């Protein structure tokens, strides 16, 4: 949710927008409609918006026709919506027609705006993400995930990560992750887990952890072969990489006994036992907890199947727990580094 933006990129500082921060506001349906429509028109090529987006646009149009807000407040909100739309229009122009450096800068800006809107409020976050989907940015980001340059891959994965974060107090914005997964992001993100570049690995792990909160995305990610490289990162990655990969695996097991069984068959409990006895302190604590839950097959078999909303909440809580652990790791980074050198042979 919004409070998680401070630790999106593991130990790296959170992206912040250059210039004044977005002002929080509660936009009217008219403002939502204006931004989504402007973003759709900004796309250089016509893109087929999802049925979910079309329903939202139609609902916004109907509400706008019936509403009679304070003219001054509505003017203020429309101005903010126009400001956001202008920035997204510039981003789309750079993504579709700019040089490589311009595209990189546009992706970084997209991630910054995604964080800024998430922190500004629920409606603003939802409005921005809807506009990104309708405006055609997702295919451009997916294309960059397949770049030969690992830095560009990481930028795209980080932007996808920020777009996938939703508001923990509402289920109304849960569909954005599904839009991202159905746009083709899963396969290249899974491929990035095996990259030789640690930053690309970390960016992909973070994006997949967040996307896996959606039950359909969770199945797509597991089906794309993410479990094996995530287990490898849990065993051989840096301490922060191990913790992030473990978190992704934990999210993938939520409400999914098939994934849990696959991890049992692949020897995950033994791997986690090794971390529990030889890893850094935070790794030991979390590896012990995760390993115990994996080994408790009876509890997993007896657990009731969660509906979609409950699944999202349980997976989000799991992801947020690991976000908190990474924040703790950052705060104690110096001590973490000393302990890592002591236990390097156990990696």
């Amino acid at each position: 949710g919004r409070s998680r933006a401070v630790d999106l990129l593991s130990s790296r500082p959170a992206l912040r927008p250059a210039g004044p921060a977005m002002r929080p506001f509660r936009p009217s349906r008219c403002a939502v409609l204006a931004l989504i429509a402007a973003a759709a028109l900004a796309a250089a090529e016509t893109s087929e918006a999802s049925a979910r987006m079309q329903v939202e646009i139609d609902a916004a149009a109907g509400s706008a026709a019936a509403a009679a807000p304070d003219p001054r407040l509505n003017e203020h909100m429309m101005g903010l919506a126009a400001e956001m739309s202008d920035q997204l229009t510039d981003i789309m122009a750079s993504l579709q027609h700019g040089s490589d450096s311009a595209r990189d800068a546009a992706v970084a800006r997209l991630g910054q705006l995604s964080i800024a809107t998430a922190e500004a409020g629920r409606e603003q976050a939802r409005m921005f993400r809807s506009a990104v989907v309708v405006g055609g940015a997702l295919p451009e980001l997916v294309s960059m995930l397949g770049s030969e340059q690992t830095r560009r891959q990481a930028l795209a994965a980080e932007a996808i990560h920020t777009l996938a974060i939703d508001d923990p107090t509402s289920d109304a914005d849960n569909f954005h992750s599904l839009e991202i997964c159905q746009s083709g992001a899963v396969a290249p993100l899974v491929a990035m887990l095996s990259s030789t570049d640690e930053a690309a690995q970390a960016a992909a792990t973070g994006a997949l952890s967040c996307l896996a909160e959606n039950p359909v995305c969770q199945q797509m990610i597991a089906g794309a072969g993410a479990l094996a490289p995530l287990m490898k990162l849990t065993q051989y990655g840096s301490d922060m990489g191990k913790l992030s990969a473990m978190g992704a695996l934990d999210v993938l097991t939520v409400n999914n006994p098939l994934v849990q069984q696959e991890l049992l068959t692949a020897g995950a409990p033994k791997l986690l036992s090794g971390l529990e006895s030889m890893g850094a302190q935070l790794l030991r604590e979390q590896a012990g907890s995760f390993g115990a839950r994996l080994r408790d097959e009876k509890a997993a078999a007896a657990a009731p199947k969660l509906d979609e909303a409950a699944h999202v909440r349980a997976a989000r809580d799991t992801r947020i727990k690991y976000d908190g652990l990474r924040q703790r790791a950052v705060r104690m980074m110096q001590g973490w580094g000393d302990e890592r050198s002591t236990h390097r042979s156990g990696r």
Side-chain angles (χ1 to χ4, degrees):
R2 296 192 301 253
S3 62
R4 307 276 70 83
V6 297
D7 191 47
L8 290 176
L9 312 177
S10 299
S11 60
R12 301 175 64 180
L15 293 169
R16 295 292 173 189
M22 282 251 177
R23 293 161 288 172
F25 70 105
R26 301 183 64 84
S28 65
R29 284 284 189 176
C30 184
V32 173
L33 174 63
L35 178 61
I36 295 176
L41 292 173
E45 298 177 1
T46 301
S47 60
E48 182 180 352
S50 68
R52 179 65 182 79
M53 294 295 97
Q54 190 59 55
V55 167
E56 183 159 336
I57 291 172
D58 291 342
S63 297
D70 182 313
R72 292 170 298 178
L73 178 60
N74 193 54
E75 181 180 358
H76 172 68
M77 291 187 296
M78 290 295 289
L80 290 174
E83 175 187 348
M84 195 191 306
S85 179
D86 287 344
Q87 294 187 69
L88 186 54
T89 300
D90 291 342
I91 288 171
M92 286 303 306
S94 295
L95 285 177
Q96 294 178 330
H97 305 295
S99 64
D100 285 347
S101 60
R103 294 183 74 203
D104 290 351
V107 172
R109 181 60 179 155
L110 184 67
Q112 292 167 347
L113 284 173
S114 185
I115 292 175
T117 55
E119 293 178 340
R122 178 192 308 174
E123 290 298 331
Q124 193 164 343
R126 179 180 180 181
M127 182 169 60
F128 177 77
R129 284 154 178 77
S130 298
V132 167
V133 170
V134 177
L138 295 183
E140 302 297 332
L141 292 176
V142 171
S143 174
M144 292 180 70
L145 290 174
S147 170
E148 295 182 357
Q149 297 186 26
T150 56
R151 178 180 176 277
R152 187 161 294 135
Q153 292 176 3
L155 278 173
E158 289 166 1
I160 286 173
H161 187 173
T162 63
L163 289 169
I165 290 179
D166 65 5
D167 184 345
T169 66
S170 171
D171 294 325
D173 57 354
N174 293 343
F175 59 90
H176 294 121
S177 289
L178 183 58
E179 295 284 351
I180 293 170
C181 291
Q182 291 180 336
S183 72
V186 172
L189 284 171
V190 170
M192 286 173 61
L193 296 174
S194 300
S195 172
T196 57
D197 184 83
E198 189 171 335
Q201 290 177 347
T205 302
L208 289 169
S209 296
C210 207
L211 291 171
E213 294 176 20
N214 180 282
V216 176
C217 289
Q218 184 198 60
Q219 294 180 23
M220 293 174 68
I221 293 166
L227 300 185
L230 284 172
M231 282 187 60
K232 187 174 181 180
L233 286 174
T234 302
Q235 183 171 12
Y236 297 112
S238 66
D239 286 331
M240 191 70 77
K242 289 177 180 178
L243 187 58
S244 297
M246 192 192 311
L249 289 171
D250 208 343
V251 174
L252 286 168
T253 64
V254 170
N255 199 34
N256 197 324
L258 292 178
V259 168
Q260 181 166 347
Q261 185 58 50
E262 188 170 345
L263 289 176
L264 286 170
T265 302
K270 182 178 179 180
L271 168 60
L272 294 170
S273 293
L275 291 178
E276 186 180 1
S277 61
M278 300 181 68
Q281 179 181 350
L282 290 180
L283 286 170
R284 288 199 301 268
E285 295 172 357
Q286 199 53 40
S289 174
F290 184 25
R293 280 183 281 111
L294 272 182
R295 288 187 292 269
D296 194 349
E297 296 183 65
K298 291 183 178 180
K305 188 69 175 177
L306 303 177
D307 62 25
E308 181 177 351
H311 175 117
V312 170
R313 288 192 291 271
R316 181 195 296 129
D317 288 345
T318 300
R319 190 259 301 169
I320 288 175
K321 174 179 66 178
Y322 281 89
D323 283 349
L325 289 172
R326 285 198 298 273
Q327 290 176 28
R328 285 178 56 194
V330 170
R331 289 194 296 268
M332 56 183 286
M333 186 60 72
Q334 186 60 49
W336 178 290
D338 293 341
E339 189 172 1
R340 179 178 60 189
S341 62
T342 300
H343 296 289
R344 187 175 299 276
S345 60
R347 291 170 55 192

